[in-house]
Amino acid sequence: MRLLIMGPPGAGKGTQAKFIAERAGIPAISTGDIFRANVSQGTPLGVEAKRYMDAGEYVPDTVTNDMVRNRIAEPDAAAGFLLDGYPRTLAQVEELDSMLAGSGHDLDAVVVLTADPDELVARLLQRATIEGRADDTEEVIRRRQEVYLAETEPLIAVYTERNLVRAVDGMGEVDEVTERILGALELTAQG
Ligand code: AMP
């Protein structure tokens, strides 16, 4: 299966991506996690990405696209993958289309987590105290939400037009949300 998971910052994409990918037997590939790993290792990619991440801005498409292209070409992604946090811009959608066309595959579904915007800031501030992410200050959180609305939300219409969107209520307990997603993807507990 080739899946995407989308939703506003704080909607729980990363948490759900790991559960869903495990159930589907595919790797969860999070661009945010790859950037953070590079930042903590001090690689040139990490140094470049950190400037943007700390400000709540998107890392430039060229950098991000190359990184994803390399990652999904790895052997563990040959039978499928769940992309968490990519694509985030229309240019990234086009780039992903060309990567998939190059390998002769299609996307199977795009999970869109919906959430109450007021709750999201609270969730992110709570996560900041637990994980200590540098991009979880209130100012940066608000900027990330603005950038999401301007750059990424329009992608939902693109994938809706392609009949790929499975909208799932992202509010509630983590395992409830997981069950909703598995149901929407027809990956039930027995399956
Ligand atoms: P995330 O963990 O998905 O919230 O990503 C954290 C940060 O990494 C984002 O706020 C961006 O700065 C950067 N990032 C992650 N994925 C992308 C992407 N697809 N395009 C551009 N920047 C990204």
Side-chain angles (χ1 to χ4, degrees), residues 178-189:
T178 307
E179 287 306 317
R180 284 179 208 142
I181 299 172
L182 293 173
L185 293 173
E186 293 165 28
L187 290 168
T188 52

Side-chain angles (χ1 to χ4, degrees), residues 7-172:
K13 293 187 296 294
T15 305
Q16 295 300 336
K18 292 186 181 83
F19 290 126
I20 303 308
E22 196 183 334
R23 178 61 56 87
I26 52 179
I29 298 175
S30 156
T31 44
D33 281 354
I34 301 174
F35 283 134
R36 279 184 288 279
N38 277 276
V39 169
S40 59
Q41 289 158 21
T43 68
L45 174 67
V47 172
E48 165 90 356
K50 188 177 185 332
R51 294 192 283 142
Y52 299 97
M53 295 170 78
D54 285 354
E57 305 295 336
Y58 286 168
V59 178
D61 284 338
T62 47
V63 175
T64 310
N65 289 333
D66 285 350
M67 189 175 86
V68 173
R69 188 180 285 278
N70 291 331
R71 178 63 188 87
I72 67 175
E74 286 180 24
D76 67 330
F81 47 76
L82 191 169
L83 289 174
D84 157 21
Y86 182 92
R88 264 177 153 105
T89 64
L90 288 166
Q92 291 179 12
V93 170
E94 285 174 19
E95 197 65 26
L96 178 61
D97 286 344
S98 99
M99 292 178 213
L100 289 165
S103 68
H105 294 110
D106 288 320
L107 286 177
D108 294 289
V110 177
V111 175
V112 175
L113 286 181
T114 60
D116 168 17
D118 290 338
E119 275 217 22
L120 295 180
V121 175
R123 271 201 201 185
L124 286 169
L125 287 170
Q126 197 199 2
R127 185 174 77 185
T129 62
I130 299 166
E131 294 181 12
R133 274 176 52 160
D135 58 352
D136 273 345
T137 64
E138 187 158 356
E139 189 193 345
V140 176
I141 287 168
R142 294 208 186 280
R143 180 63 193 146
R144 283 165 58 209
Q145 288 187 321
E146 280 171 16
V147 174
Y148 173 81
L149 285 177
E151 303 271 346
T152 305
E153 204 188 46
L155 274 49
I156 297 173
V158 172
Y159 288 120
T160 298
E161 205 151 284
R162 298 185 191 181
N163 252 325
L164 290 172
V165 169
R166 309 275 185 278
V168 173
D169 178 4
M171 305 310 287

